[in-house]
Amino acid sequence: MRHRPGASLALGLLFLCLAQANFAPHFFDNGVGSTNGNMALFSLPEDTPVGSHVYTLNGTDPEGDPVSYHISFDPSTRSIFSVDPNFGNITLVEELDREKEDEIEAIISISDGLNLVAEKVMILVTDANDEAPRFIQEPYVVQVPEDTPAGSSIIKVHAVDKDTGSGGSVTYFLQSMHSAKFAVDHHSGVLRLRAGSALDYEKARAHFLIVVAKDGGGRLRGADVVFSATTTVTVNVGDVQDMAPLFVGTPYYGYVYEDTFPGSEVLTVVAMDGDRGKPNHILYSLVNGSDGAFEINETSGAISITQSPVQLRRDVYELHVQVTEVSPAGSPAAQATVPVIIRIVDLNNHPPTFYGESGPQNRFELSMYEHPPQGEILRGLKITVNDSDQGANAKFNLRLVGPGVIFRVVPLTVLNEAQVTIIVENSAAIDFEKFKVLTFKLLAVEVNTPEKFSSTADVVIQLLDTNDNVPKFTSHYYIARIPENAPGGSNVVAVTAVDPDTGPWGEVKYSIYGSGADLFLIHPSTGIIYTQPWANLDAETTARYNFYVKAEDMEGRYSLAEVFITLLDVNDHYPQFGKSIQEKTMVLGTPVKIEATDQDAEEPNNLVDYSITHAEPANVFDIDAHTGEIRLKNSIHSLDALRNITSNRDGTWSLEVQAKDRGFPSFSTTASLKIDITDTEMLSRSPMATFLMQTKDNPMKAVGVLAGIVASIVAITILISTATFWRNKKSNKVLPVRRVLRKRPSPAPRTVRIEWLKFRRTRAANKFELREEPPHENCNKHSPGGTMPPAPAPPPPTRMAPSTGVTLWTVPTVSGSLTLQQPQRPPKPKALGSPSQSALVSELRQKFEKKHGDEKAYF
């Protein structure tokens, strides 16, 4: 095929351009949830701390050239992130606030030096619970009629939280202690009157409720937080017409004297609407009993006589006065009736009258402190009572009408005029915490007159508070528990005492004392008990503390409560073996026991388990994990079987044992154990050998047994000598003194000092080294028949190891020692045969019998 020259040139230029082309770099797209790549669908919590590394830009260049990274923002917005151009690490440099900006638009770019690739990314800011609920439409004030049915909705409060999710959900609660009549819907915020509750204007004209709005909580800077807000709802109770009219100053008595003119007013009946908020107009009327002799003013209630008293046919009139409320619409409403007694008398026209310092007075006021002394006179009241009539018409009685028997009045009966004295009768009832104001009526009623004229005066006593209450704790005792590793200054328990008094008398100061209070302090105002800053609690030393807390007011009145604090044990002690070196004795079939103690105070921290962590060889021993007893495996019944499974011929084995407590975290201690093993046949030859083997690990036991035997012999000898002395004294005979001299047979010449008693021994046998005693030369033997026991026959010669010192005897045993360091062991001699053991036991028995026989012969 032929090619044109122009086509070949164009093809060459194309290949040259392709060879010189440089491809642009690009970002990796790692998808949602990745922390590196091109920030696709990347989101960030708004509570991320400034300076945090939040993302890593990651990309590549097709030619493998190094790339650099950049990030930029719109000039009208904040630069929220910065990027490391070499590594692509993006760092937060401005605080985030999702409520103000929930999306961040940024431009990220990657460059290889020649080409620049930019991408626009949208970063989502996720919510954190950083906003508190906020009430809107405050203040909340509502007017509610007192006849509102129970369960009715009163008002709706509304709070908003700018957060999302649970942090943006709001629930409502009532905080006020006086909100027993009301309830709030936790979700809607609707305030309702509780079922079974009712409002009463005459008892409370307003209620103040504190509503708490609390969000659902959420995460903020790694912690769960809950925010709340409060608002006050004022419920004003509106009065409604639900009370009948009330008469004031009952009973009513009126008197008409013979010189009274027609049209004169006899008395006035006073009534008022029981509803004080919006009282209705009152109209008075006479129902019956007047016989046309009296009339009443319908608006004032004044009763007047219409005829001359001379024309009246009766001496006593009983009128029935009716009072009627008139509604705003003009229709009659509630009614009430009261009887009025009017007597016609001869010139008895003066009722008792109360006077103050400035003239007639029907109201007297006094301020006094609560709980005055019993029998105290209220000297602040200057009251005089007077009746201007003469004789029997001027005699009247005084009495106090009011709550309880608190005061009494003196005198009880007055003729014409007297100074009224009021005396304290019940001091305990005069309590500021129960009554702020005490109101009484002082009533004066004539005694011997048919009219029974009377008058009243109000006595109003304003009580002043005193420090009459002792602070009282909410509980007689407080119980608390605290870990023994709690740092100094840790809160333990809060105590609370309440003093009902007001002002500074109601302020409570706390203190503690007692032998157990040295490590604790109490805040004088809040009652929080906490540990001393330098306190170092230890349950092993003292597990329980007991002391008293005192609540005292400013005048020293106080009460006490008892505080019990228990320290919770923490596993802070290692198990410790009882001795650093323990020597044990074991024969085949008999275990050796190791024991470790843990100083922790409570289980399971002080419970110890045992184990063998290393053994040479590993198939010889088992250990009881709970008791620490170490046994040979069940398959080993003899020393021959033991030597068949191990090359150790000297009878010594090394173990590493561990004591581990059951606490958390658990602590352990390890130690090395050396064990020597022997057969039971060597201990079954004689009782003495058995005893020596049993006391090998406890030489003091052997010394104690020997001392006990010697002491018994001495005691028996003294008893025999005493009995013989008294028998001779009672027989009144003088007996010749006989001395039997017996010469001890001379022992055979010895040139080697009984070398057959000297044998090799191990470390455990050092406790039983035998030494020859010098012969006794005392020949004064008074006991007939005291013959020396025959000397034992020398045992067969034994195998002796070469030694420069005294040759010692060895009893093959099992001995153990616990040590934290591996000791050096001396060469262990070979064990002696059974003839050596028999010779030693026989010699010990012969020497004991010889010594015992010499002592008996002496006596």
Side-chain angles (χ1 to χ4, degrees), residues 276-299:
R276 304 294 180 86
K278 295 180 180 180
N280 285 333
H281 184 61
I282 299 293
L283 295 180
Y284 300 90
S285 61
L286 289 175
V287 179
N288 54 36
S290 66
D291 294 339
F294 300 94
E295 63 182 6
I296 188 169
N297 187 301
E298 67 174 5
T299 58

Side-chain angles (χ1 to χ4, degrees), residues 46 109 177 179 234 369 373 391 403 411 416 432 438 475 488 506 683 691 808:
E46 65 174 327
S109 60
M177 298 178 60
S179 59
T234 303
Y369 286 102
N416 291 118
F432 177 83
L438 293 175
S475 177
L683 300 179
F691 173 74
L808 303 179

Side-chain angles (χ1 to χ4, degrees), residues 114-395:
L114 296 176
N115 300 292
L116 176 68
V117 177
E119 296 182 8
K120 181 183 290 186
V121 294
M122 192 66 68
I123 302 168
L124 300 178
V125 180
T126 59
D127 189 40
N129 189 25
D130 61 342
E131 296 288 338
R134 183 176 60 85
F135 284 95
I136 60 177
Q137 300 176 351
E138 291 184 300
Y140 294 100
V141 181
V142 63
Q143 186 80 14
V144 181
E146 64 175 331
D147 60 350
T148 300
S152 299
S153 298
I154 296 175
I155 193 174
K156 180 178 180 180
V157 297
H158 184 58
V160 294
D161 193 319
K162 295 181 180 180
D163 292 318
T164 61
S166 63
S169 63
V170 180
T171 53
Y172 303 90
F173 305 90
L174 281 180
Q175 178 179 314
S176 175
M177 298 178 60
H178 305 286
S179 59
K181 293 180 178 293
F182 302 92
V184 65
D185 189 280
H186 295 318
H187 302 288
S188 66
V190 175
L191 187 67
R192 291 185 172 87
L193 188 63
R194 284 185 183 273
S197 299
L199 301 177
D200 191 344
Y201 175 85
E202 286 70 32
K203 293 182 179 179
R205 299 186 180 185
H207 299 272
F208 301 96
L209 310 175
I210 297 178
V211 180
V212 180
K214 184 185 295 184
D215 63 20
R219 304 287 292 180
L220 178 64
R221 297 182 182 90
D224 292 324
V225 296
V226 177
F227 290 104
S228 62
T230 61
T231 188
T232 301
V233 178
T234 303
V235 180
N236 293 319
V237 181
D239 193 18
V240 298
Q241 291 296 325
D242 59 350
M243 299 290 292
L246 301 175
F247 287 96
V248 180
T250 58
Y252 293 110
Y253 296 97
Y255 302 91
V256 177
Y257 294 94
E258 59 180 356
D259 57 354
T260 302
F261 295 100
S264 299
E265 182 179 322
V266 179
L267 77 161
T268 300
V269 177
V270 179
M272 63 178 61
D273 190 350
D275 301 301
R276 304 294 180 86
K278 295 180 180 180
N280 285 333
H281 184 61
I282 299 293
L283 295 180
Y284 300 90
S285 61
L286 289 175
V287 179
N288 54 36
S290 66
D291 294 339
F294 300 94
E295 63 182 6
I296 188 169
N297 187 301
E298 67 174 5
T299 58
S300 66
I303 300 176
S304 302
I305 188 171
T306 60
Q307 301 176 10
S308 174
V310 178
Q311 298 174 352
L312 299 180
R313 299 179 181 180
R314 291 185 291 173
D315 294 334
V316 178
Y317 289 85
E318 182 176 349
L319 310 180
H320 288 83
V321 178
Q322 177 176 287
V323 61
T324 304
E325 295 182 15
V326 179
S327 66
S331 60
Q335 297 178 339
T337 303
V338 66
V340 178
I341 306 299
I342 298 178
R343 290 183 180 274
I344 309 300
V345 295
D346 185 17
L347 300 177
N348 186 19
N349 55 355
H350 293 93
T353 305
F354 293 98
Y355 295 87
E357 294 179 336
S358 59
Q361 189 174 331
N362 61 1
R363 181 181 177 87
F364 300 88
E365 295 185 359
L366 172 69
S367 295
M368 63 178 292
Y369 286 102
E370 61 177 333
H371 303 302
Q374 200 86 1
E376 180 175 322
I377 298 174
L378 304 187
R379 303 185 184 278
L381 294 175
K382 306 295 184 181
I383 306 175
T384 302
V385 63
N386 174 270
D387 191 326
S388 299
D389 293 322
Q390 301 297 321
N393 291 335
K395 186 178 182 180

Side-chain angles (χ1 to χ4, degrees), residues 760-774:
R760 297 177 59 219
R761 60 182 177 86
T762 61
R763 289 195 312 272
N766 284 331
K767 306 184 182 78
F768 301 100
E769 182 177 347
L770 300 179
R771 300 180 184 275
E772 182 184 11
E773 298 180 357

